[in-house]
Amino acid sequence: MLLSIIVIFGIFGTIVYSVWQKTSREMSASAIQNLSESLDLIQSTIETILRSEAEFQKLIAHEVGRAEDPEAYILAYEKNDTMVKLSLILSGRTEGFSNTGDVFTEEGLDFSAGGTVAGLPVSQSYVNYMGTWSYTIKCPVERNGRSIGTLYVEYVYDFIDQSLPDGFYNKQASLYIMDAESQRFVLKPKGMGQRSAGHLNLTDFYRANNIQDPEIKAEVEDSLHTGRNVLFYHDIRQVNALNYMWAVNEGTIFLVGYVPVEAIQQEGRTVNQSIAIVVISLLTAFSLCIGLYYLNRRQQDRLRREQEEERRIHSRQLADALKTAQIASESKTTFLSNMSHDIRTPMNAVLGFTTLLGRDAGNPARVREYARKITASGQHLLSLINDVLDVSKIESGKVVLNLEKFALNSVISSLEAIIHPMARAKGQEFHLAVTGIRHEYLLGDETRINQILINLLSNAVKYTPEGGSIWLRIIGLKQRSVQYEHICIEVEDNGYGMTPEYLKTIFDPFSRAENSTTNKVQGTGLGMAITKSIIELMGGTIEVSSEVDRGTLFRVDLELRIPEETADRQFWERHGISRILTVGGNAENRNNILTLMENTGVRTDTAASGQEAIELLRGGDFQLVLLDWEDCGLPAARALRSELSDDVPILLLSKYDATDMEEVLLLRSIAILTKPFFVSALRVKLDEMRIQETQETEGACDLKGMRFLAAEDNDVNAEILSELLELEEASCEIAENGLKALERFRDSVPGEFDAILMDVQMPVMNGHEATRAIRVLDREDAKRIPIIAMTANAFTEDEKAALDAGMDAHVSKPLNIELLKKVIRQLSNERKEMK
């Protein structure tokens, strides 16, 4: 009887297996056909969008050709979600104009690949000034059958994203849009698959998904050249997947990605599951019939097995619960340890400079320098707190870069104030070099750039033994576009180094090198993962090389947009400076100063030695001298001082931690300018010297005599604000909420208040509502009185909300009185210019 049952089961199983195999093959083939059709649909959608854009651009070109004034037509054309920038270059010219008001050239746009849309040339993809992947189509403009110019229109890939269907194989697949020429991934549409892998280009996609088969790479390479569609199987994250490269617009761009085989075969799996259910049902019924024969004999054994299984399940549940509790405890410890490390870094700088402040309280120059560095460290500490509050945005991929104009000098000053004390505490040497930089003012997120460099440098200090060396190099590379400064940042140390195995996982979250030396250094391993994410968000790359016991080198490559502005020649005229002399230092440093000063309108001469400088001084009229302290020293400073009049200042170019300068500072009209040289730092120093002279002669106070109306509902904050303003010889009247502030200003005499300090979160009426109500009051000063937001909400969106409500500026808590003075001064200057 047992043999008969086995034979019946064997025959039945063979039949079921054959049917299952046949069904699987047919459904797999059908699923692959469905994938091809889906990709064809996406391809057609994108090509339709491109053709529509090209045809519409032809219409615009026709209208431009008919216009009497093409330039006025272009300038009047407003950008939209599709066309973010229109530019026109007239025939015979190399420069044109844009609807943004900028000067436009074709330099930086690459049409060499030969791609076209509806017969119009299309450029290689690039990242525009807003940080968004874009492409440009150019179209001839004709009038009466004669070409009068070329119309360039910049489009963003984000518009294509809005037109694609939402969902791709139940969001189990992955889809990128790749520029064929550069092989860079320019778009990952929302809802079109998994978003966990942030690939940058095809090479990164190969590496991340371990695609190393030479035949596959050759087939893909052939696809790039011929525009042929390619499908191939390859495991992605240990999951069998069908990979694809699908040509769009005759191969100018490609759809790149993969679909898990299980997602493709979902329909076949459903059919097989139905067959399996039927088979299982039949087998179950058959088994039940046979089981009745053995029921009585095996009943006790079954009960015993069920009890044992219940005990095993209960034990497993207890083990799982214990493991979950341990993971939660470790996560809490990891987070606290990480934040302890990040917060202690700037806090150590604050405490250290506070100690030095007490020691050198009698030295005004050092007190101001220490106060500036304490402020820089405090600002960094505040940015860390903001990062903690913003952590959910980082994890969800919703981080938004705050692109603003900043100076490289301010970044370097902040780094020196934080890293130098850390390195000095371990007896390490910190070397800083800046070479080849053409523009020191750039557009970018200064806080995020600071975060990247502090992460790299603090790790270098931690993982370098006492007496070691740390190098920070900021190198200007050859520009790929005249609109962007191409910068390479190198952070190098001669510390413990890393093994080749660990280098493969260094950018993974919570990864740390494990050995007897580095285990003594605390940390969570989150810093490098966050650093890489921020760099990639900026469109840059990071590389690392290291050898055990020889050190580590990190190399960051960034392209930052250059602000569109002209040199401020009025600054030098106000200070009466038309010619300066730089003395000493090596030839490279002197050339860097010449490069940075060339757009200021100030003539700059150089002298290799003090004696050569004296000869130049006797033959020319100089209003400022820059002297390299390490190279020339006290004798040269004395000699130059004796040759110059008292009103010509000498600025000593010195390292951050220069010593033995007390004697030279006793000479008249001498101050210190920290290396490396930047024009912005020179301007700040000249302003400080002028302000110091003014204060010494006039006792001037920026806020003296001013009267403020402050809306503040917290009594402690109100008291602090009143005391701070009183120290500046200003007065302040407190209103406990926005409604009280509105009523007090409405009932005041015009000119009674010089400015309004407005808290945002208040009862009865918040700051935004109060500001809007003040701006619409029927009185002349309601629209022009400065209203400054004063709130603990310090994010970019909070500042934007304040400005949208009608406020003039945004000052975050805790209140920085110097920042308030700066804001008041800026608003005052703006109103003077308007008059």
Side-chain angles (χ1 to χ4, degrees), residues 18 91 116 121 185 297 305 307 324 336 364 401 443 461 489 566 573 624 626 629 660 688 695 746 748 765 798 824:
S18 299
S91 298
T116 61
F185 289 172
R297 186 169 38 159
R305 288 195 298 272
Q307 292 173 352
T324 301
L336 292 176
L401 294 177
L443 288 178
V461 173
I489 301 172
T566 57
E573 294 175 0
L624 175 65
L626 304 177
W629 171 253
D660 300 329
E688 288 179 356
Q695 290 178 342
R746 184 187 58 202
S748 66
M765 178 182 284
D798 301 313
I824 293 292

Side-chain angles (χ1 to χ4, degrees), residues 432-498:
L432 173 63
V434 179
T435 58
I437 297 297
R438 300 169 182 80
H439 304 85
E440 59 179 286
Y441 285 102
L442 301 169
L443 288 178
D445 192 326
E446 182 177 0
T447 300
R448 297 296 183 185
I449 293 173
N450 264 326
Q451 185 178 356
I452 291 169
L453 293 177
I454 290 174
N455 275 347
L456 295 177
L457 288 168
S458 62
N459 279 343
V461 173
K462 286 191 303 180
Y463 293 103
T464 299
E466 294 187 2
S469 297
I470 316 293
W471 291 269
L472 170 61
R473 309 181 190 95
I474 300 179
I475 306 167
L477 303 179
K478 182 180 180 180
Q479 292 176 267
R480 298 172 178 150
S481 168
V482 295
Q483 298 173 332
Y484 290 86
E485 182 81 21
H486 190 188
I487 296 176
C488 175
I489 301 172
E490 293 183 350
V491 175
E492 185 177 6
D493 64 72
N494 58 359
Y496 305 129
M498 293 174 281

Side-chain angles (χ1 to χ4, degrees), residues 566-579:
T566 57
D568 184 7
R569 300 177 185 269
Q570 294 181 351
F571 173 86
W572 307 102
E573 294 175 0
R574 288 197 303 270
H575 284 268
I577 297 177
S578 60
R579 186 179 183 186

Side-chain angles (χ1 to χ4, degrees), residues 231-242:
L231 290 170
F232 61 89
Y233 285 97
H234 183 77
D235 289 352
I236 304 295
R237 300 188 190 91
Q238 300 179 347
V239 175
N240 190 18
L242 181 61

